[in-house]
């Protein structure tokens, strides 16, 4: 990393920062409804080697992009000015300045093991690593949730993706051996111990390799649908609808919005239920909740796809405790909770099922809850 930095930027970096991707255990599409979520950080990280510059230039290079250095003037950063991967780091610098922090330029070199387009929050990892690097380079003294909000602002306001804050909170605030209980409206987060391997379990990630892209308008349409439903129901956000209100929502809402509300309300309840099981050490009880969450995303929110459904169905048929798509939807990754004695059989069955369906081989790997963003050098 240091050697590559020196080669590209001609001097040593001031430091190296890391931020992870995430999988969400439960609580999908609840973040922009002021609700609850329960993500973990995965061991795959985005590393950013950085050196402060005092001439106002922001110079970006990525080991993955393999393109030339992107050279920008921080004073000219405006939404739409950068359309490649560079929009994420440039967006963070823009968002810091927009929030009144007097930050200048830097040389950055980025290298990542977080798969892109797999629904594992590679963009949040990049944003959070850059935000933390800037926090240190410019002595800003911001805490992790504030850096997460700055990162979300970069994505919303600069890269043009109307995401919630779950991914950035996970990347910035998770700790090893725990899931992160997010209460979005309250702005609070709490670590909930979660160590599946200590219970003889595995959490597998299956990247379906169906390209997941939040910028394509479908995510924005779902978000708008939820916001419209909240307005029609006369509440600030769908978080305020309780399960007992559900049967009456069809009297107020157009038929197309009823299942969206159904998903959000039941999903918030699934987060609460999952947390009480984890706190009581009943990790296996998570299984049916994950599978119910998948059914809700497939049938009510309608954001699964044939490949994700095939992973879930195959894993459950092979004795997995639970499985569901994770992240924004329309492809990306599935998580599978499985007893370690069944993990290999589940993986083999999923790959075989993909082959017989004529799909590309999925990527499978086990994950344990890992650390959030941190300085590593
Ligand atoms: C994407 C968004 C998040 C969240 C999830 C769905 O990952 O970036 O803010 O809305 O989808 O839970």
């Amino acid at each position: 990393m240091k050697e590559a930095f020196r080669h590209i930027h001609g001097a040593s970096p001031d430091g190296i920062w890391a931020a992870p991707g995430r999988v969400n255990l439960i609580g999908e599409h609840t973040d922009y409804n002021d609700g609850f979520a329960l993500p973990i950080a995965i061991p795959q990280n985005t590393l950013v080697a950085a050196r402060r510059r005092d001439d106002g230039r922001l110079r970006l290079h990525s080991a993955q992009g393999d393109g030339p250095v992107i050279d920008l003037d921080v004073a000219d950063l405006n939404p739409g000015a950068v359309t490649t991967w560079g929009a994420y780091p440039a967006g963070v610098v823009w968002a810091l300045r927009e929030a009144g922090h007097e930050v200048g330029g830097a040389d950055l070199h980025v290298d990542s093991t977080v798969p892109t387009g797999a629904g594992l929050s590679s963009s949040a990892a990049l944003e959070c690593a850059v935000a933390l690097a800037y926090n240190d380079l410019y002595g800003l003294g911001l805490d992790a949730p504030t850096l997460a909000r700055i990162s979300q602002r970069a994505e919303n306001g600069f890269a043009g993706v109307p995401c919630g804050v779950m991914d950035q909170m996970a990347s910035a605030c998770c700790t090893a051996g725990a899931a992160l209980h997010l209460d979005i409206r309250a702005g609070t987060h709490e670590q909930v111990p979660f160590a599946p391997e200590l219970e003889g379990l595995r959490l597998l990630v299956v990247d379906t390799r169906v390209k997941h892209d939040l910028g394509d308008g479908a995510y924005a349409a779902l978000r708008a649908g939820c916001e419209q439903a909240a307005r029609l129901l006369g509440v600030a956000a769908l978080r305020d609808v309780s399960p007992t209100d559900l049967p009456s929502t069809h009297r107020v809402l157009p038929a197309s919005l009823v299942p969206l509300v159904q998903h959000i309300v039941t999903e918030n309840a699934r987060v609460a239920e999952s947390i009480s099981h984890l706190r009581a050490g009943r990790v296996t009880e998570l299984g049916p909740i994950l599978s119910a969450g998948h059914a809700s995303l497939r049938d009510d929110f309608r954001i699964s796809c044939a490949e994700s459904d095939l992973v879930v169905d195959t894993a459950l048929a092979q004795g997995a405790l639970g499985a569901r798509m994770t992240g924004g939807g329309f492809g990306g990754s599935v998580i599978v909770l499985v007893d370690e004695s069944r993990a290999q059989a589940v993986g083999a069955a999923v790959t075989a099922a993909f082959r017989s369906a004529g799909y590309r081989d999925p990527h499978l790997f086990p994950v344990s809850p890992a650390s959030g963003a941190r300085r590593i050098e």
Side-chain angles (χ1 to χ4, degrees):
M1 196 66 188
K2 274 190 187 156
E3 204 32 61
F5 185 98
R6 272 194 287 272
H7 180 69
I8 294 147
H9 292 298
S12 294
D14 294 334
I16 301 177
W17 291 262
R22 65 95 189 91
V23 292
N24 189 17
L25 293 180
I26 194 77
E28 220 65 90
H29 288 263
T30 45
D31 59 354
Y32 55 80
N33 288 295
D34 268 2
F36 306 93
L38 192 64
I40 62 166
I42 57 175
Q44 288 77 4
N45 282 287
T46 294
L47 303 185
V48 171
R51 190 167 74 100
R52 177 173 164 154
R53 293 180 69 102
D54 291 319
D55 62 356
R57 307 297 312 173
L58 177 62
R59 302 183 77 251
L60 310 170
H61 184 268
S62 158
Q64 279 68 44
D66 212 24
V69 170
I70 303 172
D71 193 341
L72 304 162
D73 184 337
V74 294
D76 289 341
L77 291 177
N78 284 305
V82 190
T83 52
T84 58
W85 69 272
Y88 300 111
V92 168
V93 179
W94 168 82
L96 284 167
R97 289 168 65 87
E98 186 200 46
H101 302 291
E102 289 182 7
V103 298
D107 288 333
L108 303 183
H109 172 63
V110 176
D111 200 351
S112 183
T113 54
V114 185
T116 54
L120 299 172
S121 293
S122 58
S123 54
L126 175 54
E127 291 151 3
C128 290
V130 172
L132 192 61
Y134 255 75
N135 194 43
D136 288 352
L137 290 178
Y138 283 92
L140 303 178
L142 302 174
D143 62 11
T146 305
L147 295 174
R149 292 262 169 214
I150 292 282
S151 298
Q152 181 203 17
R153 177 73 191 128
E155 187 134 354
N156 292 170
F158 197 87
V161 182
C163 62
V165 77
M166 186 233 325
D167 305 340
Q168 292 78 10
M169 280 297 288
S171 187
C173 302
C174 276
T175 57
L180 190 72
H181 176 203
L182 294 172
D183 179 336
I184 303 294
R185 175 175 287 163
T188 56
H189 65 281
E190 201 185 358
Q191 311 293 339
V192 182
F194 175 56
E197 54 296 338
L198 296 183
E199 313 283 329
L201 304 177
R202 291 281 176 278
L203 188 66
L204 301 180
V205 173
V206 183
D207 171 7
T208 62
R209 302 177 70 197
V210 177
K211 198 78 179 158
H212 146 106
D213 186 357
L214 287 188
D216 68 0
Y219 182 94
L222 288 163
R223 184 171 180 156
C226 289
E227 287 165 357
Q228 193 196 348
R231 270 194 306 277
L232 293 171
L233 291 168
V235 293
L238 291 185
R239 177 210 177 107
D240 300 311
V241 181
S242 83
T244 50
D245 296 334
L246 275 178
S248 61
T249 53
H250 70 274
R251 276 191 243 123
V252 185
L253 297 177
S256 62
L257 298 182
V258 172
L260 297 187
V261 179
Q262 168 84 21
H263 167 72
I264 299 301
V265 172
T266 57
E267 188 78 347
N268 278 328
R270 280 185 286 272
V271 175
E273 216 189 323
S274 301
I275 289 166
S276 40
H277 286 310
L278 288 184
R279 292 233 178 263
R282 297 186 297 260
V283 183
T284 55
E285 297 294 320
L286 230 54
I289 302 177
L290 301 186
S291 303
H294 184 77
S296 180
L297 290 167
R298 183 192 59 209
D299 303 337
D300 285 336
F301 226 60
R302 296 180 169 254
I303 58 167
S304 188
C305 64
E307 290 83 349
S308 300
D309 293 344
L310 183 60
V311 177
V312 170
D313 294 345
T314 309
L316 294 178
Q318 285 295 321
L321 297 164
R324 70 174 200 89
M325 55 146 285
T326 187
F330 311 104
S333 294
V334 171
I335 52 171
V336 179
L337 186 67
V338 58
D339 192 274
E340 63 188 1
S341 65
R342 300 295 303 154
Q344 226 175 351
V346 164
V350 166
T351 302
F354 265 50
R355 287 184 184 162
S356 42
Y359 302 150
R360 286 197 297 169
D361 278 6
H363 291 153
L364 287 106
F365 50 94
V367 291
S368 307
S371 302
R374 66 224 173 267
R375 184 176 192 154
I376 56 173
E377 261 191 68

